[in-house]
Amino acid sequence: MKLKSFLPLATISAGAVSAGTVSCGSHSASVSAARQHDHVNFILINLDDAGNGDFSFSGALGYQTPNIDRLACEGMRYTQFYAAQPISGASRAGLLTGCYPNRIGFAHAPSPGCPYGINGSEETIAEVLKKRNYATAIFGKWHLGDAEKFLPLQHGFDEWYGLPYSHDMWPYHPQWEFPDLPTYEGNRIVGYNLDPSRLTADCTGRSVDFIRKNRDRPFFLYLAHPMPHVPLAVSERFKGKSEQGLYGDVMMELDWSVGEIVKTLEELELDQNTLIVFTSDNGPWIAYGNHAGSTGGLREAKATTFNGGIRVPMIAWWRGTVPAGTICERLASNIDILPTFAEIAGAELPSHKIDGVSLLPLLQDPEASPVREALCLYYQENSLEAVTDGTYKLIFPHDYLGYGEPGNDGMPGKMIPRRVEKPELYDMRRDPGERYDVSAQHPDVVGRLEEFADSCRADLGDDLTGQKGPGRRKPGYR
């Protein structure tokens, strides 16, 4: 969609909503102000291991997140938003390419020296938006490979400061002390001894500078915070500020970061032509106890395809266009962000097949018709462990590591081998915690979701059923 045909969406006022509206106030939109701009900017804020219950608007205890709450209050909150996979590297690969990670050869989370990374033939959000002359930057965690040809500057980004993977990566994990991981400025390693307490503030400061520098041209900012992934670290400014220890302190600093971004947009009068998407790469790593977040009551957590691991927070904020104080209950995924940004910017999609769909109709109206039929939930190398249509979720027999007694103060607790023995069906409307199997009551739903799963297997394969799948592409290799 061309930009000029998109701008009339600004006629949707911030208060023009029906069911799904929450009473939290609104900021009146100025249609004329929105039309003064000839482009739309994009800011994608991706936290690491944050859960649905980690914000004060969703029930967090012992600390407040007023700036993130404000995004939710002035924007649209999604309640059925799924990460592409419940692990960092694969999730980020899906986020940036609009593809199921296993379609592009991604599984797990690439470790230092991993032989594979993102293939040069894949297009990231940054590469798609470069077609429309966007300035692009990533500040924070990459995790799509650490060989030079896999790094951000080779995949559409003009600037990068941050880490090539998680700051606890093997062989250091699960030791408490920070490893000497390389910190990059562009493709240049600038040090191995970064003070981890600087991570959030450094990424935020560089993000603000990038916005200021590109205030007069379209830009895409990917703020990929390394926190609240363990090992936790926080600046002196926020140390000891929460009633929930170090984890609460870290969340307060991340909330401050969001506030700095919004404040800068308002100061530069860019708030009406900038879309912010706020999310997390997967659910919390609850094995770490008091150094982990909250699933908000969902089953299991990170590294499982139960909702605690794969259903993540998502807020869309765009003053004057996204209706304020709304809740969208339609099924969506982080693989849908690339086609959404592309449609708004009027940029061509990648020439090869992607799996994401544009969320633009839902950004205009949270009760619009669903934009996708269903979503397949893969994990491990290529195992189709579940599918969901947003109303029901069907889980297939598979082995997984469940969570036992949690750890404390930065050390992990017990993981317990478990197995789903037979297909299980859960009603997402009444049982998002996946506690009551209703497969016997709804054989028709099981059959319908099995048909969708078969279509996924025919395209992408499935290790659980021994199918190969012709639709998978190879990752890049060193």
Side-chain angles (χ1 to χ4, degrees):
M1 180 181 291
K2 297 297 183 183
L3 181 62
K4 288 186 178 179
S5 66
F6 174 74
L7 277 179
L9 292 179
T11 59
I12 303 173
S13 72
V17 295
S18 55
T21 305
V22 296
S23 179
C24 58
S26 64
H27 184 101
S28 60
S30 168
V31 175
S32 61
R35 287 177 172 164
Q36 289 175 5
H37 303 282
D38 60 358
H39 64 265
V40 179
N41 307 310
F42 303 100
I43 297 177
L44 175 55
I45 303 175
N46 196 26
L47 303 189
D48 198 336
D49 290 3
N52 276 291
D54 281 346
F55 315 100
S56 44
F57 76 80
S58 61
L61 299 174
Y63 62 89
Q64 295 291 312
T65 55
N67 295 298
I68 298 170
D69 296 351
R70 179 185 174 193
L71 287 187
C73 189
E74 297 181 356
M76 183 180 294
R77 180 161 60 92
Y78 285 68
T79 61
Q80 294 236 50
F81 192 81
Y82 287 81
Q85 280 200 24
I87 199 73
S88 180
S91 173
R92 290 160 192 265
L95 169 73
L96 286 174
T97 65
C99 297
Y100 289 124
N102 51 317
R103 181 178 297 284
I104 62 173
F106 258 79
H108 308 300
S111 57
C114 180
Y116 74 87
I118 184 172
N119 195 306
S121 65
E122 305 295 344
E123 289 187 46
T124 66
I125 295 174
E127 289 171 301
V128 167
L129 293 177
K130 292 296 283 186
K131 300 171 186 176
R132 299 289 292 172
N133 197 34
Y134 274 68
T136 58
I138 168 177
F139 301 115
K141 174 179 169 180
W142 175 239
H143 220 174
L144 272 67
D146 65 352
E148 184 171 358
K149 68 179 185 178
F150 303 145
L151 296 179
L153 268 61
Q154 276 62 53
H155 294 276
F157 288 94
D158 301 323
E159 300 180 34
W160 176 40
Y161 171 83
L163 305 174
Y165 24 71
S166 295
H167 53 273
D168 73 324
M169 290 301 291
W170 188 266
Y172 307 97
H173 182 77
Q175 295 178 3
W176 164 238
E177 56 270 11
F178 275 79
D180 291 335
L181 293 181
T183 304
Y184 282 77
E185 179 86 55
N187 282 352
R188 184 172 61 91
I189 297 174
V190 294
Y192 283 89
N193 295 295
L194 173 72
D195 177 359
S197 69
R198 290 171 38 195
L199 282 170
T200 298
D202 278 2
C203 292
T204 303
R206 289 169 183 268
S207 295
V208 168
D209 291 344
F210 175 79
I211 294 170
R212 293 187 181 280
K213 181 172 63 176
N214 293 284
R215 61 185 297 177
D216 295 321
R217 64 172 294 188
F219 63 79
F220 165 51
L221 167 63
Y222 178 33
L223 176 50
H225 278 298
M227 298 292 167
H229 192 297
V230 291
L232 300 175
V234 71
S235 69
E236 288 294 329
R237 179 178 178 182
F238 290 92
K239 187 177 293 184
K241 295 296 184 182
S242 81
E243 298 175 5
Q244 204 191 108
L246 185 54
Y247 192 85
D249 298 346
V250 167
M251 290 304 301
M252 289 179 67
E253 186 164 33
L254 291 168
D255 180 76
W256 161 83
S257 173
V258 170
E260 291 298 295
I261 298 298
V262 174
K263 181 173 68 175
T264 302
L265 294 177
E266 292 175 331
E267 176 189 332
L268 300 178
E269 298 184 347
L270 298 176
D271 50 316
Q272 296 216 12
N273 70 315
T274 301
L275 169 60
I276 296 177
V277 170
F278 174 89
T279 188
S280 177
D281 61 352
N282 46 248
W285 207 350
I286 62 174
Y288 281 86
N290 64 344
H291 280 205
S294 166
T295 67
L298 301 178
R299 181 177 175 182
E300 295 292 352
K302 173 180 175 174
T304 75
T305 48
F306 297 105
N307 279 356
I310 206 161
R311 188 188 283 193
V312 295
M314 193 283 223
I315 301 168
W317 180 93
W318 181 2
R319 183 168 287 152
T321 298
V322 171
T326 47
I327 296 173
C328 182
E329 298 172 345
R330 302 301 192 200
L331 179 65
S333 171
N334 63 358
I335 62 175
D336 299 331
I337 292 174
L338 181 150
T340 303
F341 287 3
E343 182 171 8
I344 293 171
E348 292 184 7
L349 291 172
S351 57
H352 51 232
K353 182 176 182 178
I354 68 170
D355 302 291
V357 294
S358 175
L359 301 177
L360 180 55
L362 299 178
L363 290 178
Q364 300 174 68
D365 177 6
E367 296 184 343
S369 298
V371 295
R372 59 164 56 254
E373 172 194 359
L375 189 71
C376 56
L377 304 175
Y378 279 84
Y379 191 42
Q380 306 302 334
E381 293 298 325
N382 195 43
S383 296
L384 182 58
E385 295 186 353
V387 295
T388 181
D389 63 1
T391 301
Y392 292 94
K393 182 177 174 185
L394 181 63
I395 299 174
F396 301 110
H398 68 276
D399 297 315
Y400 67 98
L401 285 177
Y403 289 82
E405 181 181 350
N408 201 45
D409 294 340
M411 296 303 293
K414 297 177 181 179
M415 303 298 291
I416 302 172
R418 292 177 176 150
R419 178 169 176 78
V420 176
E421 295 290 351
K422 63 179 184 64
E424 299 173 355
L425 182 71
Y426 296 98
D427 186 337
M428 296 292 95
R429 300 164 299 177
R430 301 174 177 87
D431 183 25
E434 299 165 301
R435 289 166 174 81
Y436 307 103
D437 178 11
V438 294
S439 57
Q441 297 167 253
H442 300 285
D444 56 329
V445 175
V446 172
R448 176 169 53 81
L449 291 179
E450 280 277 15
E451 288 183 8
F452 175 74
D454 286 341
S455 69
C456 296
R457 295 179 182 118
D459 181 18
L460 295 170
D462 176 20
D463 289 348
L464 296 175
T465 56
Q467 298 186 52
K468 298 296 182 184
R472 298 179 68 197
R473 304 191 286 267
K474 292 185 180 297
Y477 290 97
R478 288 176 179 269

